[in-house]
DNA sequence: TAGTGGTCTAGACCACCGA
DNA sequence: CGGTGGTCTAGACCACTAT
């Protein structure tokens, strides 16, 4: 499982940007120069630069060159597809997960709808409360196909579900469709979270898919409004 | 300004997916077959498929092929970088914009911070209320550099600011950094919007940049919570 | 005009999948 | 095994920007 050449070039350039070798508003060397110094063809360099551009590290300008963007502001992506554990690790917060429910059950009609399946099969129903700095901020309600994700335990759910799925089961999580809305808190929300006096709750619904395009997980992540933050980098498509 | 070949191939394939010629869960023809039928090289086909993949239309599977995803669910992107006018047009809602403020002023210290400028210059301060189905739902507060966007009028702000910037001024809007949070409504929010009894408001802050990486606009878009919806398609990056 | 990025090509080799 | 997508190359031509 060796990385591709353009990925390694991307990684190296990201390193140079993040540690300050390449500063904001500086121009990168030209594609031809990069091709020479990395001993790669120009198209390979361009694949690496494409990645940098998509992730908001650089802006390409025809006829001029590629300029480094100021990345200090964005940079912690709740955008994208990242697990709570990965996020908490990155932010260095005192985070704790409390598994308040874990059971196997037959899909409800509502779940069957979400998974778009013709027949109801068994799913794991996982409920987890996320505590940050001693406050219960997030309620995660996960539903996972037991056929694809067997052998769940409380211990796994406390640590990282995604680590188990990817590293133990060897599945590849590939993409997700997400929807953010704001709703009224339910009795369950009020019971399980430290909601204070808020009368709204931010709900992130996700449909998560493997690399063969099968959906294996539906999640509702319910956040106390004052602690919710979503950051995004978007390019205009025409 | 003719489109590139891979863009045209992308457009044609999107057409086939959206009108049902290519249905969800069907496999696309192989890259070699597509190359032949479009009279293009395989790399060019691959650029088109890369776009389809990024936009959530297909999933590529090594050794197997590219499968069409079910796009009926996502498909109206509040994600990305789209103006209110473009969105309203696409959704066919009865939408109306009321310009409640338009003035040129010297940047405040706060704005200078947002624009990361060494010296304060003049900006347009535009306030617009968006009405959907007779309800005042969104308050947009825009700040634009007058040096880059001269000659604003109420009429322009009522129609589409982006159309003016791109089509009349000939500037190219390229990317944005966005942040979604939830705050307490201000007196101004309560005054200008039909907030009902809600005690929170969804705030989308955007820094918007041109293709030469200069920031020209800062926007706060303030939404009544029950009408806010953000849809996203995200691929897992490793 | 020279240098930049944008596109396109034809061919090669590899890793993965299914029969 | 043959067919699929994944990567990489060397070279060509174009559009754009600076000077």
């Amino acid at each position: 499982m060796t990385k591709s050449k353009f990925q390694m070039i991307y990684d190296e350039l990201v390193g140079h940007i993040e540690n300050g070798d390449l500063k904001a508003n500086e121009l990168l060397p030209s594609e031809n120069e990069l091709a020479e110094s990395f001993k790669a063809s120009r198209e390979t360099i361009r694949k690496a630069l494409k990645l940098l551009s998509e992730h908001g590290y650089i802006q390409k300008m025809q006829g001029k060159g590629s300029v480094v963007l100021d990345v200090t502001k964005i940079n912690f992506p709740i955008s994208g597809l990242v697990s709570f554990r990965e996020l908490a690790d990155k932010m260095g917060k005192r985070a704790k997960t409390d598994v308040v429910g874990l059971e196997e059950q037959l899909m409800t009609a509502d779940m069957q709808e979400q998974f778009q399946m013709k027949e109801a099969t068994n799913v794991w129903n996982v409920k987890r409360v996320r505590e940050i700095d001693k406050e219960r901020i997030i309620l995660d309600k996960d539903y996972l196909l037991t056929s694809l994700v067997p052998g769940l335990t409380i211990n796994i759910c406390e640590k990282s579900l995604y680590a188990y799925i990817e590293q133990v089961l060897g599945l590849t999580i590939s993409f997700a469709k997400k929807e953010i809305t704001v709703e009224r808190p339910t009795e369950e929300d009020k019971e399980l979270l430290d909601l204070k006096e808020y009368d709204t709750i931010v709900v992130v619904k996700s449909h998560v898919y493997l690399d063969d395009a099968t959906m294996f997980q539906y999640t509702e992540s319910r956040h106390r409004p004052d602690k919710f933050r979503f950051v995004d980098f978007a390019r205009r498509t025409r």
Side-chain angles (χ1 to χ4, degrees), chain A:
Chain A
M1 166 66 187
T2 68
K3 273 195 183 168
S4 57
K5 196 166 180 176
F6 75 84
Q7 263 289 350
M8 292 191 306
I9 295 171
Y10 166 80
D11 289 343
E12 182 163 340
L13 291 174
V14 165
H16 287 149
I17 291 172
E18 293 198 333
N19 75 20
D21 292 348
L22 287 166
K23 293 187 181 59
N25 300 317
E26 280 183 10
L27 283 181
L28 287 184
S30 75
E31 295 179 351
N32 283 315
E33 289 168 349
L34 289 171
E36 195 172 355
S37 68
F38 280 107
K39 304 217 178 304
S41 75
R42 211 184 123 213
E43 283 286 11
T44 300
I45 296 297
R46 284 178 58 73
K47 280 182 191 164
L49 296 188
K50 179 99 187 312
L51 271 187
L52 287 167
S53 165
E54 283 166 0
H55 295 171
Y57 283 106
I58 65 169
Q59 173 72 359
K60 311 191 78 177
M61 293 173 295
Q62 192 172 29
K64 290 199 265 194
S66 297
V67 66
V68 178
L69 297 179
D70 183 4
V71 82
T72 57
K73 285 287 179 66
I74 357 173
N75 228 23
F76 74 79
I78 305 195
S79 155
L81 187 45
V82 185
S83 76
F84 179 78
R85 166 63 48 194
E86 291 163 340
L87 207 61
D89 287 350
K90 196 161 189 170
M91 292 169 52
K93 286 273 188 175
R94 292 188 308 270
K96 188 168 155 291
T97 293
D98 188 11
V99 180
V100 297
L102 168 61
E103 52 172 338
E104 188 174 353
Q105 64 177 55
L106 189 66
M107 249 178 219
T108 61
D110 181 43
M111 276 307 119
Q112 202 176 326
E113 177 88 10
Q114 296 298 337
F115 279 94
Q116 303 221 40
M117 292 182 63
K118 289 202 179 68
E119 317 224 338
T121 64
N122 273 10
V123 287
W124 291 107
N125 179 344
V126 186
K127 270 188 200 143
R128 292 180 289 180
V129 173
R130 316 292 200 168
E131 202 174 90
I132 300 175
D133 291 338
K134 303 286 182 192
E135 284 191 299
R136 296 175 299 164
I137 300 295
I138 305 171
L139 171 60
D140 278 345
K141 299 164 75 168
D142 295 276
Y143 302 86
L144 303 110
L145 294 184
T146 54
S147 55
L148 292 171
V149 188
L152 273 196
T153 66
I154 289 193
N155 188 34
I156 291 168
C157 294
E158 264 172 4
K159 300 213 180 100
S160 178
L161 208 45
Y162 276 20
Y164 175 70
I165 290 168
E166 296 193 310
Q167 285 148 39
V168 180
L169 297 181
L171 300 176
T172 304
I173 297 167
S174 184
F175 63 93
K177 302 173 185 178
K178 295 190 190 186
E179 180 190 50
I180 302 175
T181 55
V182 179
E183 300 179 5
R184 298 290 191 192
T186 63
E187 285 307 314
E188 183 182 51
D189 295 330
K190 290 176 190 166
E191 192 179 311
L192 294 174
L193 299 179
D194 297 320
L195 265 192
K196 295 187 176 171
E197 76 292 10
Y198 289 98
D199 71 351
T200 53
I201 194 157
V202 181
V203 182
V204 182
K205 294 174 181 157
S206 304
H207 298 78
V208 192
Y209 295 75
L210 300 175
D211 61 349
D212 65 354
T214 61
M215 175 174 160
F216 76 102
Q217 178 187 22
Y218 173 77
T219 296
E220 277 190 29
S221 193
R222 307 172 73 84
H223 300 243
R224 196 174 84 189
D226 63 320
K227 293 295 186 182
F228 178 79
R229 181 163 177 255
F230 179 91
V231 182
D232 193 26
F233 176 83
R235 289 194 173 272
R236 183 148 167 86
T237 57
R238 3 197 121 257

